[in-house]
Amino acid sequence: MTYRIGVDVGGTFTDVVCVAADGTTTLAKAASTPADQSEGVVAGLAVLAETLGVTLVDLLRQTERIVHGTTVATNALLERKGAKIAMLTTEGHRDVIEMREGLKPERYNMRLPAAPALVPRRLRLAVRERLRPDGRVEVPLDHASLNAAIAQLRAEKVEAVAVCFLHSWRDARHENAAAEALRVALPGVFITTSAEVLPQIKEFERFSTAAVNAYVGPIVSRYLARLRGRLEQAGYGGPVFVILSHGGVAPVEEAARLAAGTALSGPAGGVAAGVALAERGLGQDLITFDVGGTSTDIALIQEGDAALGRGRDVAGERIALESLDIVTLGAGGGSIGHVGAGGTLQVGPRSAGAVPGPAAYGQGSTEPAVTDANLVLGYLDAANFLGGKRKLDMAAAERAFANLGARLGLDAMAAAAGVHRLANIRMADGIRVATVRRGVDPRDFCLLAFGGAAGLHASAVARELGMKRVAVPFFAAGLSAWGMLHTDLRYEMARSELNTGGVPDDEALRAIWAALEKEGRARVASWFGGAVETRRAADMRYGEQVFDIAVPLDHVGWEAAGLADRLRDAFHARHEALFTYALRQEEVVLVNARLAVIGRLPPMPAPAGKATGAMVAPRGMRRIMLEGGLADVPVYDFAALGADQPVAGPAIVESDTTTVLLLPGDAARMDARGWLEITLPEQL
């Protein structure tokens, strides 16, 4: 038997999913280890091996590939625990990353303090050089000023350096020369250039992305080296891929080089799972709703495809790499309920994390978390958490809510209900940000609920939004790890082609993308020897506009005459689709040429469908809190449900790794393809 393994490191648990050659899927969970995530990864693999009844060595020897989602870069940014970094930049321009775009995140908040720059000013060193926007050298690279900067960096003992010169998107000769001098003078220091990371116009986005890459690069590189070492010691010698923010995977070496591209590594797996389930018949329009221990991640899948975007801020830092359009909010199972300003109840964004975890974990926390609320309200079984492998401390959870309730004038049960309700409202607001604010009606979508905690909130959140359908996969707790196994190798490329002529002629357009394709195919060919596909796109705008929009170009027909006109038509159509109008008489400008090079990995084997069998009776009753008060509801075994078995709410459906709360009026049915589909009652 051969296996493929996906690993998703969350804030509380590390999920490990194994798909065997016959399609059999197995999920294992281990506690995450924030100090060194690789420890939790290997621990999860050991639990998986035990579940399969084999040794860890035998499991790894039979594994074809491991795909990993990591939060190392994200945590380093959130906690400001990245490397000590410096920046070399063009003389007179060392404050670009501090001035940003001249805008504040909250423009009407007069008291909002400026965010501290990722690179302190004393380590932003000026080098005498200057290129013009057309690539002409105005001031040659001055080696005396470069050497003086290098000497200062050596004295400061920096761990990483970002080289960010003006107009290097047009010609990287000065950045490359400076980087080579740095590598010779500072061996062992992580060196990155803005032209290597993001060869595009807009200095702030390019400089900021390069700075983030330098800040997290050493941390990610060391982590991936430790992970590779631990896996080799355990007996694994196959390829290790890392899922990147754009939803594709890359070898660990590429993930270490472009570490900023791992900032959304974990959530990307959940979106990939949504795309895979859309292909399997769940529906073409989905909202992925991933509720984990520390956060909720939300994304849109329309017509079977996930939306990509750029200019993403993570922990206040701009990362302008291609990435999935994911909305993240600090509301998860570990989010702490507390009394905020004015004596009002608040939930999150602070989280109990894996250590100490919610109060019910019995690891010393006395603060109530959302998981504690779900336990106190009866939705979780204290004796059957993780299939009975971990007992929850009901008394500790009740004490935590008694303390919170005392501050609010409520009893413990009412305080827990308030935390659960407020968490639902925050999650619904996050979905509104991902949908309504983008001009999308969520009522037309199915809510795909996964992550360990999503099933407890999905029905209530869907009702807040007027949605009609919810789907909870049987492997909801490990769906992100499962999704990682359904991704392909992907290498994203972009080149700024801005000029005064608007859109180049047909021959020039073909030459631009041919050069990208040649470079991209060579890069992906160095990773593996399988089939390769390409996808073309462009960032375009009207001549007087400031911001550009992404336009897919695979459908325009690249060989026939009139290519430039077809690109303009594609832009007009895309602009009209986004903003309801097009200015066809206006000049259209090509800003960035984009190419995605995709290496197709062998497809995953299809799992056997659920068989239709006799109706399964509830395995017991449980008293839970509903809107009208306490009520006894049936509890069903998720794994025992046969295809097409109906379950009417109110009810609990639980497995070893997830629990689904069905509210009164919900009508659920087990789909043969492996998910519980819930139809909500019509709402006024």
Side-chain angles (χ1 to χ4, degrees):
M1 185 71 74
T2 58
Y3 304 100
R4 298 170 192 173
I5 296 176
V7 182
D8 176 35
V9 178
T12 306
F13 290 104
T14 293
D15 300 324
V16 182
V17 168
C18 167
V19 178
D22 62 359
T24 302
T25 303
T26 307
L27 169 65
K29 297 175 81 72
S32 292
T33 50
D36 182 355
Q37 290 185 3
S38 64
E39 293 181 5
V41 172
V42 175
L45 290 169
V47 174
L48 176 64
E50 181 182 353
T51 303
L52 292 171
V54 299
T55 67
L56 178 58
V57 171
D58 286 340
L59 170 65
L60 294 178
R61 283 177 179 170
Q62 296 176 75
T63 297
E64 295 179 352
R65 69 174 183 260
I66 293 177
V67 184
H68 179 35
T70 174
T71 56
V72 168
T74 312
N75 293 343
L77 286 167
L78 289 169
E79 299 170 9
R80 280 296 192 268
K81 292 182 179 178
K84 180 180 181 180
I85 65 171
M87 176 182 286
L88 296 189
T89 190
T90 304
E91 192 175 60
H93 292 270
R94 67 174 181 162
D95 293 322
V96 167
I97 63 168
E98 198 147 7
M99 293 187 295
R100 302 176 71 88
E101 296 165 308
L103 300 173
K104 296 193 301 182
E106 301 173 29
R107 64 186 63 188
Y108 300 113
N109 185 349
M110 297 296 106
R111 298 184 179 182
L112 182 70
L118 206 58
V119 189
R121 197 168 193 269
R122 67 183 180 82
L123 292 178
R124 302 197 297 265
L125 308 182
V127 174
R128 184 168 175 73
E129 67 82 40
R130 184 65 177 265
L131 290 179
R132 301 299 299 169
D134 61 3
R136 291 182 293 112
V137 177
E138 180 170 304
V139 178
L141 178 63
D142 183 74
H143 289 278
S145 66
L146 175 60
N147 291 335
I150 290 174
Q152 187 172 344
L153 297 180
R154 185 185 293 111
E156 289 281 356
K157 298 181 179 179
V158 297
E159 297 176 79
V161 182
V163 183
C164 305
F165 293 157
L166 288 185
H167 308 306
S168 61
W169 60 271
R170 181 68 80 181
D171 190 328
R173 72 180 81 172
H174 285 180
E175 282 196 355
N176 291 341
E180 184 58 32
L182 285 164
R183 292 187 179 101
V184 172
L186 303 175
V189 173
F190 186 93
I191 309 297
T192 191
T193 70
S194 72
E196 175 190 23
V197 173
L198 192 74
Q200 297 174 208
I201 61 169
K202 298 183 179 179
E203 280 79 15
F204 167 63
E205 291 192 343
R206 183 159 45 85
F207 286 19
S208 177
T209 306
V212 170
N213 201 56
Y215 188 71
V216 302
I219 310 295
V220 172
S221 298
R222 288 196 292 267
Y223 166 70
L224 292 176
R226 285 197 306 272
L227 176 65
R228 169 68 85 175
R230 288 183 185 275
L231 291 173
E232 289 176 351
Q233 289 175 2
Y236 181 68
V240 179
F241 298 119
V242 177
I243 188 165
L244 303 182
S245 300
H246 53 53
V249 301
V252 289
E253 297 79 11
E254 175 67 10
R257 182 191 71 84
L258 195 61
T262 66
L264 295 176
S265 175
V271 182
V275 172
L277 288 174
E279 293 174 352
R280 294 190 178 190
L282 178 58
Q284 294 294 291
D285 296 321
L286 307 173
I287 297 172
T288 63
F289 178 59
D290 179 4
V291 185
T294 59
S295 65
T296 295
D297 299 308
I298 300 155
L300 272 180
I301 294 173
Q302 292 179 280
E303 298 181 358
D305 285 328
L308 289 170
R310 289 174 298 282
R312 178 67 185 256
D313 283 6
V314 178
E317 300 300 331
R318 181 67 52 83
I319 302 175
L321 298 171
E322 195 92 339
S323 65
L324 291 166
D325 190 6
I326 299 172
V327 173
T328 299
L329 59 148
S335 296
I336 292 171
H338 59 96
V339 178
T344 59
L345 178 63
Q346 303 289 325
V347 177
R350 193 162 57 91
S351 173
V355 180
Y361 283 12
Q363 297 178 157
S365 175
T366 59
E367 296 182 289
V370 173
T371 295
D372 297 313
N374 289 325
L375 178 62
V376 170
L377 296 171
Y379 307 149
L380 291 175
D381 184 352
N384 195 40
F385 193 67
L386 292 181
K389 295 178 182 177
R390 186 169 198 167
K391 307 296 183 184
L392 297 180
D393 189 338
M394 173 68 84
E398 289 175 337
R399 283 195 301 271
F401 274 106
N403 293 335
L404 177 65
R407 299 183 62 188
L408 296 166
L410 302 171
D411 61 27
M413 184 70 77
V419 165
H420 181 82
R421 170 73 172 143
L422 189 54
N424 292 339
I425 292 171
R426 289 200 61 206
M427 293 170 186
D429 284 344
I431 294 176
R432 290 188 182 97
V433 170
T435 56
V436 177
R437 290 192 186 179
R438 289 165 166 79
V440 174
D441 189 342
R443 294 174 296 182
D444 298 331
F445 288 70
C446 173
L447 187 66
L448 174 59
F450 57 97
L456 292 165
H457 302 271
S459 180
V461 169
R463 287 167 185 249
E464 287 281 339
L465 298 161
M467 300 178 71
K468 306 176 185 66
R469 289 179 63 218
V470 174
V472 185
F474 177 68
F475 285 108
L479 198 72
S480 290
W482 180 84
M484 294 172 192
L485 296 174
H486 292 75
T487 58
D488 292 306
L489 290 162
R490 188 181 183 105
Y491 180 53
E492 290 282 346
M493 306 178 67
R495 296 288 185 274
S496 287
E497 297 293 340
L498 185 65
N499 58 61
T500 57
V503 176
D505 60 30
D506 292 7
E507 184 177 348
L509 286 172
R510 294 189 185 98
I512 289 168
W513 268 275
L516 288 175
E517 184 167 345
K518 181 179 179 181
E519 180 184 340
R521 283 182 177 273
R523 176 65 66 96
V524 174
S526 70
W527 298 348
F528 90 134
V532 172
E533 300 175 5
T534 60
R535 292 183 183 174
R536 300 180 185 93
D539 297 331
M540 305 173 75
R541 60 175 170 81
Y542 290 119
E544 300 302 319
Q545 286 181 321
V546 176
F547 298 102
D548 44 71
I549 62 173
V551 182
L553 296 177
D554 283 329
H555 66 286
V556 299
W558 281 80
E559 301 307 321
L563 176 60
D565 289 335
R566 290 195 294 278
L567 257 65
R568 294 185 187 94
D569 290 341
F571 168 74
H572 291 311
R574 182 63 178 154
H575 195 280
E576 190 166 18
L578 290 173
F579 305 113
T580 74
Y581 72 94
L583 304 174
R584 298 183 184 275
Q585 73 281 5
E586 294 291 330
E587 177 190 45
V588 175
V589 177
L590 170 64
V591 180
N592 299 314
R594 295 189 173 277
L595 186 79
V597 184
I598 301 168
R600 293 296 183 190
L601 294 172
M604 296 297 296
K610 274 261 186 183
T612 302
M615 296 296 101
V616 177
R619 65 184 184 187
M621 302 292 289
R622 188 183 305 163
R623 177 156 292 190
I624 68 171
M625 175 61 73
L626 295 172
E627 190 170 334
L630 291 171
D632 292 321
V633 304
V635 179
Y636 291 86
D637 184 347
F638 206 152
L641 295 179
D644 295 326
Q645 168 149 2
V647 179
I652 296 285
V653 180
E654 62 184 12
S655 69
D656 289 351
T657 56
T658 197
T659 300
V660 182
L661 171 63
L662 299 178
L663 297 176
D666 289 351
R669 180 186 65 84
M670 190 66 204
D671 192 280
R673 291 160 291 186
W675 58 78
L676 187 70
E677 183 152 341
I678 306 167
T679 302
L680 277 62
E682 290 291 332
Q683 301 172 60
L684 298 178

